[in-house]
Amino acid sequence: MAIISTADEIFDSDVYIDLRPALGVNLHLKCEGFNFAGSVKLRAAVSMVSAGIHQGLIGRHSTLVESSSGNLGVALSVVAAANSLRFVCVTDPKCNPTALKLMRALGSEVVVVDEPDGSGNYLAARKARVHELCASDSTYVWLNQYENPANWLAHYENTAPLIAKQFPGLDVLFVGAGTGGTLSGCVRYFRENHPDVRVVAIDSVGSVNFGMAAGSRHIPGLGASEPMPLITPDLVTDIVRVREADTVRMCRSLAARGFLLGGSTGTVVSGAGEWLRQNDPGRTLTAVAISADLGERYIDTVYDDTWTAEHYGDAAWESGNSHG
C-alpha cells in the first residue's frame, strides 16, 4: 500500500504489460502513466525542482518557467502546486489540448508561442520566449530540461534501477528519445551497473536527435527539431526510427485490446517490435520498453479519425520503420 501526502511524491506503480500475445515478440511494457501527472515526466519534474531548491536557485517567491510540448508542463504543474510555487509553461500549437487544460486546472499559466522561428522551429521560438520572460523578471527560474543533469539523474537513480530489479535477466531495453533525460539516465545506469544490457533508442522519423534530416512531426513527446545536449548517440546499442503513421497504427492496435496508451508509447512499441522481429526471431531475449504516458491526452489526435486522415491518410495502415 502506498500512502502519500503531496501529489508530487513519486511511487512506482510496478505495472508491466506482457505484449507477447499482442505482438508475438518477448516484450514487457513498463507503464509510467499511473501518477498524478499522468506520465514519466513526474520523475524529472520532481528531480529538477528538488535540485533547484537544494542549490538555492528556487525560493518560495520564485516562479518556475519551462518550455514543454505537454507532459513535462503537466508534471511541473503538479510539482509547483504541491510546493506552493508559481509555474509558467511555454508551449506551442502542437501541445495536446488536454495537456493545456490540465496545466491551467492545476493553476499554471500557459503561454502558447504561435509563430515558429525563421527556420520553422517551434522549439527555438519557445526557448526565445523563456529567455524573454526570465529577462523581464528576476524571480523567474528556468529549469532547462534540455541541459539540466537532474533530468537524467531521475532515471539513473529511479527508473533504470527499478527495471533492473524486476528483470535481473534483462537483455534489451527500449527507450524513446525526446529531450534525452530518460534515455540518458537509463543508458548511464546500465553501462555502469549492467553493461551486458543493450539499450536501443527509439526516435521519430523527422527528428534530428541522431543526425538525421529534420522533417514534419505532429505527435509531441518524442523527437526533436534540434540536437538535444543530453543525448550521446554512441552510448546506445542501436537506433530505430518510426514513422508517425506507424505510431498511430500501433496505438490503435493496442487500444483494440483495451490498452489506451500515449503517442510516444505507440512509437516505442512499434520500434521495439520491429527490432525484436529482426534480431530475436527465436524469442529468447528478455526485453522491456518504457511507456511514458496513457492515451487520454491523445483522444483528439492519435485516436481521432479526422485528425489521423488529415495528417497521414492511408499511410497509418502501412508499416515502415527503419534502423539507424
Side-chain angles (χ1 to χ4, degrees), residues 53-289:
I53 292 173
H54 179 73
Q55 295 164 8
L57 302 174
I58 299 172
R60 62 191 184 94
H61 297 298
S62 297
T63 296
L64 307 180
V65 61
E66 184 57 279
S67 157
S68 170
S69 62
N71 277 344
L72 182 65
V74 175
L76 284 170
S77 295
V78 170
V79 176
N83 288 275
S84 300
L85 293 168
R86 292 182 62 236
F87 170 56
V88 178
C89 180
V90 179
T91 189
D92 61 62
K94 293 183 180 180
C95 181
N96 289 326
T98 302
L100 288 173
K101 293 177 181 178
L102 285 170
M103 287 186 273
R104 288 174 174 143
L106 289 161
S108 298
E109 179 184 347
V110 181
V111 176
V112 180
V113 176
D114 293 320
E115 295 294 332
D117 69 356
S119 62
N121 184 346
Y122 276 114
L123 177 56
R126 291 195 331 236
K127 286 182 178 180
R129 187 55 191 271
V130 168
H131 285 297
E132 290 175 6
L133 290 171
C134 291
S136 69
D137 192 329
S138 62
T139 66
Y140 277 60
V141 178
W142 181 27
L143 295 168
N144 192 3
Q145 62 163 323
Y146 310 104
E147 300 181 64
N148 193 329
N151 185 347
W152 65 263
L153 277 169
H155 305 287
Y156 179 92
E157 296 173 349
N158 293 288
T159 311
L162 287 166
I163 293 171
K165 180 181 178 181
Q166 294 298 326
F167 292 84
L170 183 66
D171 294 304
V172 190
L173 177 65
F174 298 95
V175 188
T179 61
T182 308
L183 177 62
S184 181
C186 289
V187 165
R188 291 169 187 260
Y189 174 83
F190 282 105
R191 269 292 180 96
E192 294 178 15
N193 297 280
H194 304 279
D196 291 336
V197 174
R198 288 172 276 184
V199 179
V200 177
I202 311 295
D203 202 6
S204 299
V205 170
S207 167
V208 304
N209 267 332
F210 296 96
M212 298 299 288
S216 176
R217 293 178 297 111
H218 305 286
I219 302 173
L222 289 190
S225 54
E226 59 184 59
M228 291 290 102
L230 296 181
I231 292 181
T232 306
D234 59 355
L235 291 181
V236 300
T237 304
D238 202 354
I239 303 161
V240 180
R241 296 178 178 84
V242 178
R243 300 185 313 161
E244 287 192 340
D246 291 315
T247 293
V248 172
R249 183 173 56 85
M250 181 56 71
C251 283
R252 292 183 170 217
S253 176
L254 293 171
R257 293 174 174 263
F259 298 117
L260 193 71
L261 299 165
S264 64
T265 300
T267 303
V268 171
V269 173
S270 179
E274 180 70 17
W275 191 95
L276 288 169
R277 280 187 285 272
Q278 293 188 22
N279 294 278
D280 185 32
R283 298 174 63 175
T284 60
L285 298 178
T286 297
V288 170

Side-chain angles (χ1 to χ4, degrees), residues 7-76:
D8 63 342
E9 291 183 40
I10 293 178
F11 60 95
D12 189 69
S13 66
D14 203 27
V15 172
Y16 290 81
I17 301 172
D18 183 350
L19 290 175
R20 286 176 293 183
L23 300 183
V25 294
N26 283 350
L27 182 65
H28 286 80
L29 187 65
K30 178 171 174 53
C31 297
E32 287 283 324
F34 297 110
N35 58 54
F36 281 98
S39 80
V40 69
K41 292 293 188 178
L42 185 57
R43 295 186 187 277
V46 169
S47 180
M48 291 190 293
V49 172
S50 297
I53 292 173
H54 179 73
Q55 295 164 8
L57 302 174
I58 299 172
R60 62 191 184 94
H61 297 298
S62 297
T63 296
L64 307 180
V65 61
E66 184 57 279
S67 157
S68 170
S69 62
N71 277 344
L72 182 65
V74 175
L76 284 170

